[in-house]
Amino acid sequence: MGVGAENTLPTSIHNGGYKEEMEFVLKPSLGNDVVTPESGDHATLKRETWSRRLEFILASVGYAVGLGNVWRFPYLCYRSGGGAFLVPYLIMLLLCGIPLLFLEFSIGQYTRLGPVHALAKICPLLKGVGLATIVISFVLSTYYNILMTWALYYFFNTFGKSLPWQSCNNTWNVEANCSSGFPGNNTHLQSASQQFFERRLLEMTKGIEEVGGMRWELFGLLILAWAIVYVCIFKGVKSTGKVVYFTATFPYFILFALLVNNVQLPGAKDGIRYFLMPEWSKLRKVQVWVNAAAQIFNSIGISFGTMISMASYNKFNNNILRDTLIVSLANSATSIFAGIVIFSAIGYMAHVHNLPVDNIATDGPGLVFVVYPEVFSTMPVPQLWAAFFFLMLLCLGLDSQFAMVEVLVTFVMDGFGLKVLRVLKHKEVLVLVVCLVGFVLGIPHITQGGIYVFQLMDHYTAVVSLMFLAFFEVLAVCWLFGVRRISCMVERMMGKPPNIFFRLCWLVFAPLLVLCILISSIVQYTPARYGKTYRYPAWAEVLGWFISLVSVVWIPLGAAHELYRCKGSFMERLKASVTPTVDLDTFLHPPEKETSDTPEAMSLCTIPEKAPLSGQRNGI
């Protein structure tokens, strides 16, 4: 499908005794977002849109399908009951994943704004949730690109006569405890692949207390990784939409090729059987259900603000329900498919080294950068398979990285577009500044002690902060803004309201499940650690909580600011703060052609405005 027709949406923002209006002319442009000053206090912003619907779907699938599908899901599945884990996983997908993704797509597409400004319109009291999603996405992007740096390092090391992690005869190896095979649970020995990762790639120190020197090879590759990101997104969705045709589809060709190769190897069936064998007794453990929900949120990207941002570039009447089902189901199917590919290779590796499958598999980056490279060492033409695999990892990671950087650019353009373009002149310069800041913040991860910083940030950003943001986002949209208003928004875009299933999920199932996950995460909290033995010192734990608060703190700060802006008693301020910042009739009825003239549709969308509240906002 091509670009949609022009959409003009005047948005009236009420501030106390005066009304400040900015007209956003939402129509496709040939280049970037262009902000043109008009007479008086008006401004016209031509917001770019996806050139084709397929580009939005590929970008969304590319963001959702990332490195977590390759390592985290397979590990969680076989550690949490194998095939039995699919039961809570699919339940969480049905009750949380699909409804909340549909919700975020609806917010972004209807408001044509990024998460900060969209959530501020919907529920001013919790406007800090939108800013928190921007912060957590950008913090995540600063260390997520380190994975791309490692993938590039491995990729360039596949072009020699032999793979450098195949033997123990290299300068970085400690031959006394190096094994050319896989040592399993033998604590004395390390595989050649493990030593390559720790002693060659990372040159890691003994702990976060020892920062060590800079890894200059990684420094150069980090520059290259950010340069690739910049080149792919500096023209906005017009350039990103073209890149995702390759980055979102190429990994599937590689996964399929690996599967065809792996299933023919001896022992592959044992690995797949171990991956999918149900252990029904584990379903009685609360942690298994928490793991399933956490995987859905992390994998699909709910509460990171990215899906809202990408949907904001859609045309107004795009079928987001269809896109929601495509993205969420493609993500889950890819996770299962990748698990079969990974564990067929692990089964072969267990067969070669005569070890149990559970002695081979490991969690986190180790599965991708230690175990799987060791698998290639035993395959025919190992350099070819290794090069394809790490190129696949690069594509998987870049899709997610594009979206996390773009969400910050969208926020800046939505909120400060006029001012930014007056100073920087071009949006490309803004994207360059964002990439440079991300690069600088990523430098601590490429020191010799950088792996400990990486693990600390990942634990407190992707685990602790995310659950808080998810809960408050659901609270703001589903309960304070209200399911009836959401239904009306969907009807305005799609011509019919969401069915009873989605309304029940938004009103009951999703909020309660998210609340249970949050409580369980707090009750079962465990400090961050690296590997099985290293524990972080107390000051590092404090630093981790500070990293977590960097995003979460904006929620209470936003609420306090909103209450301060309002006049009247506390209850009047509170009531004013949970009311949308625009006139309800205007907000729910932009000047578009009515999608339906049926009495049912008219009655659903006609929500009478409440009487004016005595509590008014004091200034901006």
Side-chain angles (χ1 to χ4, degrees):
M1 294 176 64
V3 180
E6 176 178 322
N7 293 323
T8 306
L9 173 59
T11 304
S12 302
I13 305 175
H14 295 274
N15 291 296
Y18 68 92
K19 181 170 68 175
E20 175 182 303
E21 296 183 354
M22 291 190 68
E23 183 183 43
F24 297 98
V25 180
L26 304 177
K27 61 183 180 180
S29 64
L30 298 178
N32 300 321
D33 291 358
V34 179
V35 183
T36 307
E38 301 289 346
S39 60
D41 295 328
H42 295 273
T44 301
L45 183 145
K46 297 179 180 179
R47 190 180 187 84
E48 59 183 338
T49 59
W50 300 101
S51 297
R52 295 176 177 84
R53 177 180 61 86
L54 181 60
E55 293 179 0
F56 167 67
I57 294 175
L58 288 177
S60 300
V61 170
Y63 171 70
V65 178
L67 295 177
N69 299 74
V70 177
W71 83 54
R72 182 170 174 81
F73 176 83
Y75 175 82
L76 285 178
C77 192
Y78 98 94
R79 285 295 191 195
S80 303
F85 177 73
L86 296 179
V87 174
Y89 177 80
L90 294 176
I91 290 175
M92 293 299 175
L93 173 67
L94 187 66
L95 297 183
C96 280
I98 294 176
L100 293 182
L101 180 60
F102 186 29
L103 183 69
E104 292 200 349
F105 278 169
S106 300
I107 293 171
Q109 183 168 300
Y110 189 90
T111 63
R112 304 296 297 270
L113 294 169
V116 175
H117 297 86
L119 292 174
K121 281 174 173 282
I122 286 173
C123 181
L125 182 66
L126 294 178
K127 62 184 179 181
V129 175
L131 188 55
T133 62
I134 297 292
V135 173
I136 194 173
S137 288
F138 186 66
V139 170
L140 186 62
S141 73
T142 62
Y143 72 85
Y144 195 86
N145 224 22
I146 302 301
L147 295 172
M148 302 304 96
T149 303
W150 295 348
L152 284 169
Y153 188 88
Y154 273 85
F155 177 73
F156 290 132
N157 274 276
T158 61
F159 295 105
K161 293 182 179 180
S162 62
L163 297 176
W165 54 83
Q166 276 185 302
S167 69
C168 295
N169 300 323
N170 303 289
T171 55
W172 59 83
N173 292 126
V174 179
E175 294 188 18
N177 68 337
C178 182
S179 170
S180 57
F182 197 85
N185 288 333
N186 191 324
T187 56
H188 172 67
L189 296 178
Q190 283 186 317
S191 68
S193 180
Q194 180 76 33
Q195 290 200 357
F196 179 83
F197 180 70
E198 294 184 355
R199 298 179 180 275
R200 182 69 182 98
L201 170 68
L202 302 176
E203 295 184 6
M204 60 186 294
T205 60
K206 295 181 179 180
I208 197 172
E209 305 91 337
E210 302 177 31
V211 177
M214 182 70 68
R215 288 286 291 113
W216 292 107
E217 291 173 291
L218 298 182
F219 183 87
L221 291 175
L222 183 62
I223 294 176
L224 177 59
W226 276 107
I228 294 172
V229 172
Y230 175 76
V231 169
C232 292
I233 70 170
F234 78 107
K235 286 291 185 181
V237 297
K238 297 298 180 184
S239 59
T240 307
K242 303 300 182 291
V243 173
V244 295
Y245 281 112
F246 175 76
T247 57
T249 57
F250 178 75
Y252 289 98
F253 289 103
I254 300 303
L255 281 173
F256 182 75
L258 287 170
L259 178 65
V260 171
N261 177 79
N262 291 359
V263 294
Q264 303 178 57
L265 300 173
K269 292 182 180 179
D270 295 332
I272 297 174
R273 187 182 301 112
Y274 191 91
F275 170 55
L276 296 176
M277 183 65 68
E279 294 183 42
W280 301 109
S281 60
K282 290 194 174 182
L283 293 184
R284 293 194 293 265
K285 297 182 179 179
V286 175
Q287 188 61 40
V288 171
W289 294 81
V290 172
N291 288 342
Q295 177 62 16
I296 289 294
F297 276 80
N298 278 280
S299 185
I300 295 180
I302 296 171
S303 300
F304 285 99
T306 309
M307 292 305 191
I308 296 176
S309 180
M310 288 197 294
S312 71
Y313 294 104
N314 279 335
K315 63 177 184 177
F316 184 77
N317 61 346
N318 179 59
N319 188 342
I320 44 176
L321 177 57
R322 172 195 55 203
D323 296 346
T324 297
L325 295 175
I326 292 174
V327 173
S328 54
L329 295 179
N331 173 70
S332 297
T334 304
S335 294
I336 298 172
F337 183 51
I340 294 173
V341 173
I342 293 293
F343 273 85
S344 61
I346 289 177
Y348 166 67
M349 193 171 171
H351 172 80
V352 170
H353 298 298
N354 196 27
L355 290 169
V357 174
D358 59 353
N359 279 16
I360 303 292
T362 184
D363 189 14
L367 183 59
V368 175
F369 294 103
V370 176
V371 175
Y372 220 79
E374 176 69 21
V375 173
F376 294 127
S377 301
T378 62
M379 287 183 176
V381 198
Q383 294 92 335
L384 178 64
W385 290 112
F388 279 154
F389 179 76
F390 289 111
L391 184 58
M392 179 192 74
L393 290 185
L394 192 63
C395 291
L396 287 174
L398 284 175
D399 280 334
S400 300
Q401 186 72 5
F402 296 160
M404 288 186 288
V405 176
E406 185 63 39
V407 73
L408 178 59
V409 175
T410 299
F411 160 64
V412 175
M413 291 301 298
D414 284 346
F416 313 99
L418 271 173
K419 296 179 181 179
V420 168
L421 293 185
R422 283 172 182 166
V423 175
L424 301 180
K425 306 303 181 184
H426 300 284
K427 182 182 175 181
E428 293 88 339
V429 181
L430 169 64
V431 178
L432 179 62
V433 171
V434 172
C435 290
L436 286 174
V437 173
F439 164 73
V440 172
L441 294 178
I443 290 177
H445 302 285
I446 55 174
T447 60
Q448 291 176 316
I451 184 63
Y452 301 103
V453 182
F454 176 92
Q455 189 74 11
L456 186 72
M457 289 195 65
D458 184 59
H459 179 80
Y460 283 98
T461 301
V463 178
V464 178
S465 300
L466 181 61
M467 290 299 102
F468 280 95
L469 298 193
F471 172 72
F472 283 104
E473 179 181 311
V474 171
L475 175 65
V477 180
C478 295
W479 284 354
L480 297 183
F481 183 66
V483 171
R484 192 176 181 193
R485 289 185 176 116
I486 299 168
S487 299
C488 190
M489 289 167 54
V490 172
E491 183 179 2
R492 286 286 299 148
M493 292 184 290
M494 297 179 57
K496 59 181 179 180
N499 58 39
I500 187 65
F501 168 75
F502 285 105
R503 297 202 296 271
L504 279 175
C505 287
W506 292 334
L507 184 64
V508 181
F509 299 134
L512 292 181
L513 285 172
V514 171
L515 180 61
C516 291
I517 296 168
L518 177 61
I519 294 173
S520 299
S521 300
I522 295 173
V523 172
Q524 300 183 12
Y525 164 77
T526 55
R529 64 175 63 184
Y530 180 78
K532 296 180 180 179
T533 57
Y534 179 76
R535 296 181 180 273
Y536 285 86
W539 66 265
E541 290 290 336
V542 173
L543 177 62
W545 279 108
F546 175 77
I547 293 170
S548 180
L549 289 174
V550 165
S551 58
V552 176
V553 72
W554 295 105
I555 300 175
L557 287 179
H561 178 259
E562 187 63 27
L563 291 173
Y564 172 77
R565 288 174 57 189
C566 297
K567 294 181 179 179
S569 66
F570 176 78
M571 291 306 299
E572 290 173 337
R573 292 168 184 251
L574 189 61
K575 290 179 181 179
S577 297
V578 297
T579 303
T581 59
V582 294
D583 176 77
L584 187 57
D585 185 66
T586 301
F587 184 68
L588 293 177
H589 295 273
E592 297 285 336
K593 182 180 178 181
E594 288 294 338
T595 55
S596 175
D597 295 326
T598 62
E600 292 80 10
M602 296 296 290
S603 63
L604 173 65
C605 281
T606 305
I607 305 177
E609 185 66 63
K610 296 179 181 179
L613 296 168
S614 58
Q616 299 292 330
R617 289 177 176 79
N618 182 21
I620 298 175

